[in-house]
Amino acid sequence: MTTPRGLYTLADLDDDSIRHIVRRTIELHTDRDAHTRPLTGLVTGLLFTKTSTRTRTAFTAGTIRLGGTSISFGPTDLQTNTGESAADTGRMLAGMLDLLVVRTTGPMRELRELSGGGELPVVNAMSAEEHPTQGLADLATLIHHFGGLDGLGVLYVGEGNNTAVALARVLSRQPGCHAVFASPPGYELPAAVLAETAATAARRGGSVIQVHALSEVTGDIHAVYTSRWQTTGSTKPDASWRDAFRPFHVDAALMGRWPDAVFLHDLPAHRGEEVSGEVLDGKSSLAWTQARLKAAGAMAVLEWVSTS
């Protein structure tokens, strides 16, 4: 088996690739026609096993804008639903498609199996372990707003889920960036990811730390980020999990600790749970710009994968 091509995890990307994709995301956000239609004549498969609004629309529209054609597959459309292995399905798809974008709540291992032995480039548009295209769009949003992250503090509030993993990986690559992940005990970043990103950040003069109470957050914070508590396709083993999450609600009082900070959210949002409507819809919110940059980010990723 050859090395699978595509984008599976941000841990696979070097700094130059991340910088390139983020730069192209911002360029395509400014001018969505700033490309040479690199997908002309190519067919992209879009496999979405769970509900999706932003990611599905972004990659479908992105394929079309870049000159390609897309084929969409739902959760019951492929024979994997009746027992065919991901490896056999990927081997077949590799002979029919040029790219495959997958959004699933399953393991990343299945995405690699769908590469048809490494022949078919696969884009991880979300898996159980990581949401790399979201992380790239988040980084583009921050750089688009601030210009750079050296000396900036970013606070992520909530579960250390796949979105948080991707955010930790992109922020740890930014020289001088300091990231704090505030999560309820038992819902933090995976220990291996925390160790990896903390070491990466330290080499670049930044930091990645984990805390379990918002009162433990110190220093300057320039951006506050949260995500939906009950993410797509996930369940919590503890029936009273909401009690553990309530202290991590982002409201005006929390944002008031850092009056100049901006707010980010990967959406969809549940107003009154992880964030108040006052914050989500307030003047400090970049959530809607963040969503638009996700569309440009899909184009940038598709362009990068098709030409790499």
Side-chain angles (χ1 to χ4, degrees):
M1 177 175 175
T2 59
T3 301
R5 295 182 295 144
L7 172 58
Y8 297 89
T9 168
L10 294 166
D12 290 342
L13 269 60
D14 59 25
D15 290 351
D16 286 342
S17 295
I18 290 178
R19 279 192 293 265
H20 172 80
I21 294 171
V22 168
R23 176 178 58 80
R24 287 295 290 145
T25 297
I26 295 171
E27 290 172 352
L28 290 164
H29 173 68
T30 304
D31 179 6
R32 68 186 184 195
D33 295 320
H35 56 82
T36 58
R37 295 175 65 83
L39 297 191
T40 298
L42 302 184
V43 179
T44 299
L46 303 169
L47 173 57
F48 282 69
T49 66
K50 295 292 181 180
T51 57
S52 173
T53 300
R54 278 149 292 278
T55 305
R56 184 193 300 269
T57 304
F59 277 100
T60 303
T63 296
I64 295 168
R65 294 191 193 284
L66 293 175
T69 302
S70 66
I71 301 175
S72 294
F73 306 109
T76 61
D77 289 341
L78 300 182
Q79 295 292 2
T80 49
N81 195 53
T82 62
E84 184 176 38
S85 70
D88 285 352
T89 299
R91 186 174 181 181
M92 181 278 301
L93 290 177
M96 299 183 178
L97 300 173
D98 301 293
L99 298 167
L100 179 63
V101 177
V102 183
R103 177 183 170 97
T104 177
T105 56
M108 198 182 305
R109 168 184 51 78
E110 290 184 357
L111 275 64
R112 296 188 187 276
E113 292 173 354
L114 285 167
S115 71
E119 183 179 352
L120 178 64
V122 175
V123 173
N124 177 2
M126 191 183 80
S127 63
E129 298 96 329
E130 187 179 341
H131 198 346
T133 59
Q134 181 66 54
L136 291 166
D138 295 339
L139 181 58
T141 302
L142 289 165
I143 291 177
H144 179 258
H145 181 79
F146 290 108
L149 302 189
D150 191 1
L152 265 66
V154 179
L155 170 63
Y156 175 91
V157 182
E159 186 173 12
N161 56 21
N162 46 21
T163 290
V165 168
L167 186 68
R169 284 188 163 137
V170 293
L171 293 181
S172 69
R173 302 283 193 95
Q174 310 310 303
C177 180
H178 300 276
V180 181
F181 289 79
S183 303
Y187 296 97
E188 56 272 294
L189 283 170
V193 172
L194 179 60
E196 165 211 323
T197 55
T200 299
R203 291 194 296 269
R204 291 163 168 78
S207 61
V208 173
I209 65 171
Q210 177 85 56
V211 300
H212 293 109
L214 289 170
S215 60
E216 298 176 41
V217 180
T218 59
D220 292 333
I221 295 296
H222 303 87
V224 177
Y225 189 141
T226 195
S227 182
R228 189 169 58 167
W229 288 346
Q230 188 70 13
T231 54
T232 303
S234 69
T235 58
K236 304 284 194 299
D238 180 3
S240 60
W241 65 267
R242 290 183 186 278
D243 293 336
F245 275 78
R246 283 192 185 97
F248 296 85
H249 172 73
V250 177
D251 58 13
L254 178 65
M255 295 299 293
R257 290 175 57 182
W258 309 284
D260 296 325
V262 297
F263 173 76
L264 291 90
H265 194 304
D266 56 347
L267 301 178
H270 284 189
R271 292 170 176 82
E273 286 198 349
E274 74 276 6
V275 62
S276 69
E278 181 182 7
V279 171
L280 180 65
D281 301 311
K283 62 180 182 180
S284 67
S285 177
L286 297 182
W288 310 106
T289 298
Q290 187 180 359
R292 288 178 175 269
L293 275 154
K294 190 165 184 177
M299 292 178 69
V301 167
L302 288 167
E303 179 187 67
W304 178 80
V305 170
S306 68
T307 57
S308 62

